Amino acid sequence: MQSNPAPESLADIVIPVYYHVVYANQTFDGGYLSNQNVQDAFNLLVTGFQNTGFTFQLEEVRRHFNPTWFNEVGISDPWPIEWDMKHSTRVGGPRTLNIWSILISHISLRKISNDGYAQFPWNYATNPDSDGVTMKYTVFPGNGHPTRSGKTLIHEAGHWLGLYHTFEGNSCFGNNDFVDDTPAQAFPTDGCPFGLDTCPQPGADPISNYMNYSFDSCLTEFTPGQINRMLNQYQQFRA
C-alpha cells in the first residue's frame, strides 16, 4: 500500500451531475425512470460522500429514447455503440459527472459487476467522450432488491474519483489500492461477515467500506486515506 499526502484544503468541491436516463420504452422494465427514482439515487450519492470534501449538484435529468443503447451498452464489447451513446450525450468537461442508466444485462462479459462501471480520472485526457459512470437502471433506493439498494452509485463515483477496490489485486501483499488505512484483503466480500480477516497483516477486512463488494446494508464509509486519494486525484486530473 502507499500513502496519499493530505490535500491543503478540505473545502467542499462541488461536482455538477447530469443523469442520462436511457430507455427502450416508457415503462419501468424498459428503463424509464421517474424523476423521483433519479432524485432518490442522487440523494444517496450525496449522503455517501458527506464529510469527504466532495458534494454533488444535480444539474439536469436527460432522457434518451434508444432501445439499442439501452439493451446493448455494457454487454460483451459493443464499444462503437457505447461510444455513440456517450459521445452524443455527454455534457461538460473533466469536472462534470455524467451518469447513464441502462439495462446492463446479466450476460455482461466486460465487467466484474453487473450493476455499474466507471472510468478512472487519469483516463480522461485520452478518452474524454467515455468519461463518467454507467449504471444498471434499477440501482436506486426502494428498488426492492434484497442486497443492492443504490449504494453501487457511491462505489462507482469512488472509482470516477480515483479509488480502486479495497481487494484490488486479490492479494495480501503489494500496493493493492494504494491506500494505507484500508486493511489488506485477499478477495471481495460477499454479504456482511464482520470480523472476517483474509490476510495476516493487522486489521480485519473492510466490510463496511464503499469500495468493497459487501451488501449495501453494511456499506457506510470511506477511510481518511481514501478521501485524501480522491481529493488528490481530483486535483491532478479533474480540477
Side-chain angles (χ1 to χ4, degrees):
M1 299 183 190
Q2 179 175 311
S3 298
N4 294 278
E8 294 181 0
S9 174
L10 289 178
D12 275 348
I13 296 168
V14 180
I15 296 175
V17 175
Y18 287 82
Y19 204 110
H20 304 272
V21 176
V22 180
Y23 65 98
N25 59 64
Q26 291 189 14
T27 68
F28 178 72
D29 288 343
Y32 198 88
L33 301 180
S34 69
N35 285 340
Q36 190 62 57
N37 295 150
V38 174
Q39 189 66 54
D40 290 344
F42 177 78
N43 290 346
L44 188 61
L45 173 67
V46 171
T47 299
F49 277 83
Q50 284 181 335
N51 303 315
T52 65
F54 293 98
T55 189
F56 298 85
Q57 181 170 308
L58 184 59
E59 299 290 346
E60 189 177 356
V61 179
R62 297 188 172 191
R63 289 181 170 81
H64 312 284
F65 170 68
N66 193 307
T68 299
W69 292 352
F70 176 72
N71 287 297
E72 296 189 28
V73 171
I75 66 171
S76 188
D77 195 15
W79 172 241
I81 298 173
E82 183 164 352
W83 185 88
D84 180 52
M85 179 185 79
K86 293 180 175 179
H87 175 75
S88 301
T89 61
R90 194 184 180 282
V91 181
R95 290 178 286 186
T96 300
L97 174 58
N98 284 255
I99 302 168
W100 293 269
S101 63
I102 59 171
L103 178 61
I104 306 189
S105 167
H106 68 282
I107 64 172
S108 173
L109 301 176
R110 295 181 56 202
K111 314 300 171 186
I112 295 174
S113 169
N114 290 339
D115 293 324
Y117 54 95
Q119 180 169 295
F120 289 116
W122 49 85
N123 290 326
Y124 181 86
T126 54
N127 296 292
D129 286 319
S130 59
D131 186 65
V133 168
T134 309
M135 298 300 309
K136 189 174 182 67
Y137 77 100
T138 55
V139 175
F140 59 85
N143 62 4
H145 194 283
T147 64
R148 297 293 178 212
S149 57
K151 291 183 179 179
T152 304
L153 180 55
I154 302 170
H155 176 105
E156 297 304 337
H159 285 317
W160 186 79
L161 287 167
L163 294 184
Y164 289 112
H165 293 129
T166 55
F167 51 85
E168 194 72 26
N170 294 317
S171 171
C172 294
F173 305 97
N175 288 326
N176 299 326
D177 66 351
F178 295 93
V179 177
D180 279 344
D181 61 0
T182 54
Q185 183 179 353
F187 49 79
T189 297
D190 183 21
C192 295
F194 289 104
L196 181 69
D197 192 354
T198 58
C199 288
Q201 294 93 330
D205 290 6
I207 305 300
S208 60
N209 196 283
Y210 285 122
M211 300 313 294
N212 205 339
Y213 273 3
S214 312
F215 289 172
D216 278 16
S217 57
C218 51
L219 296 177
T220 59
E221 64 180 353
F222 292 111
T223 67
Q226 286 175 316
I227 292 169
N228 287 340
R229 179 174 171 84
M230 285 191 287
L231 289 164
N232 285 323
Q233 295 290 308
Y234 178 89
Q235 290 165 354
Q236 183 175 354
F237 296 107
R238 296 199 180 279

